[in-house]
Amino acid sequence: MLVLSRHRDESIIIGGQIEVTVVDIQGDTVRLGISAPREIDVHRKEVFLAIQRENIEAAKANAGDLKNLAGQLNKQLQANKGDKGKFIK
Amino acid sequence: MKVKTAHFGTVEVDEAAVITFPNGLIGLPKSTRFAILDGPEGTPFKWLQSTEEEWLALVMLDPLQLLPDYQVDIRPDDMTELKLADPAKAVVAVVCSIMGDARSMTINLVGPLVFNPEQRLAKQIIQGNSDYTTKHSVFPGQEAASSSSGTGGDASAGEEV
């Protein structure tokens, strides 16, 4: 990993196209500004990893399990129809 | 075209129906081409099957059937990437995970799939709304069974991230 020191308002350029700027520093927290081409997605790492992990977990599903759950799901959908739009946490 | 799948053997897929995820799924950039296969008959499940990696097949559901208030924030850059002029034309699906005991199911509300059916384009986007979890229980009363919730930072002991 390349480690650089930057002061507030200083930047680094990655791949000639992505710019990361230190926008603000307050105690422990660094506010970073990122400019990247539209097609490059930028995410907080922990969220990215959570989604990645969930995708991999989801890929373990199999068709047999789905059939077993289908009955339960249909019941749930029927129940939801009566129960207008409650967001269950 | 013939697509090799881990669950269904070799299936015949209409090439024109194949959907492109330009950046692949989040954290799984290798596959960018997917086919949508029907789930078991009489169920609302669909499979998102990679045409490039046999093992990569995800179960999808329409979130609005379960959560009519679920709102997806599609950023302008995502709209452009999906060639979507009108957000109303976007079709949203959520990825389902089946819990180990096959008696419960969760859906990922943080990383929904957004489709532009006309252009056969799609993208998995990340929702910043902290009310949403990657493991939303589909069947109420099973919340207790699932030990993790919330976005990020929820690795449990022994889990490698």
Side-chain angles (χ1 to χ4, degrees), chain B:
Chain B
M1 60 183 278
K2 298 229 177 296
V3 174
K4 283 210 192 116
T5 77
H7 294 311
F8 316 108
T10 302
V11 298
E12 182 64 43
V13 164
D14 176 8
E15 187 131 16
V18 169
I19 302 219
T20 301
F21 280 69
N23 291 345
L25 293 168
I26 288 177
L28 299 170
K30 216 164 129 190
S31 286
T32 58
R33 310 249 299 153
F34 291 81
I36 296 185
L37 307 175
D38 286 330
E41 200 174 319
T43 74
F45 298 115
K46 300 268 184 204
W47 288 94
L48 185 71
Q49 168 73 56
S50 161
T51 63
E52 297 156 306
E53 291 175 284
E54 283 184 43
W55 66 273
L56 183 50
L58 304 182
V59 177
M60 303 190 287
L61 273 181
D62 172 9
L64 296 177
Q65 287 198 48
L66 290 163
L67 299 165
D69 292 337
Y70 180 60
Q71 284 192 316
V72 166
D73 222 345
I74 308 177
R75 301 172 315 143
D77 280 351
D78 293 335
M79 295 277 294
T80 307
E81 195 175 323
L82 292 169
K83 301 195 179 143
L84 263 175
D86 180 6
K89 291 241 168 94
V91 174
V92 177
V94 289
V95 177
C96 309
S97 289
I98 298 189
M99 295 295 105
D101 60 3
R103 273 183 290 128
S104 60
M105 225 168 77
T106 62
I107 50 179
N108 180 353
L109 299 179
V110 182
L113 309 174
V114 182
F115 294 84
N116 180 346
E118 276 170 33
Q119 297 284 334
R120 309 313 288 171
L121 289 172
K123 184 170 180 168
Q124 184 171 33
I125 63 179
I126 294 190
Q127 295 296 284
N129 185 335
S130 59
D131 278 343
Y132 293 151
T133 161
T134 55
K135 290 186 186 291
H136 176 87
S137 277
V138 172
F139 307 122
Q142 281 175 344
E143 202 77 57
S146 154
S147 59
S148 52
S149 63
T151 66
D154 58 346
S156 44
E159 208 175 29
E160 214 156 52
V161 163

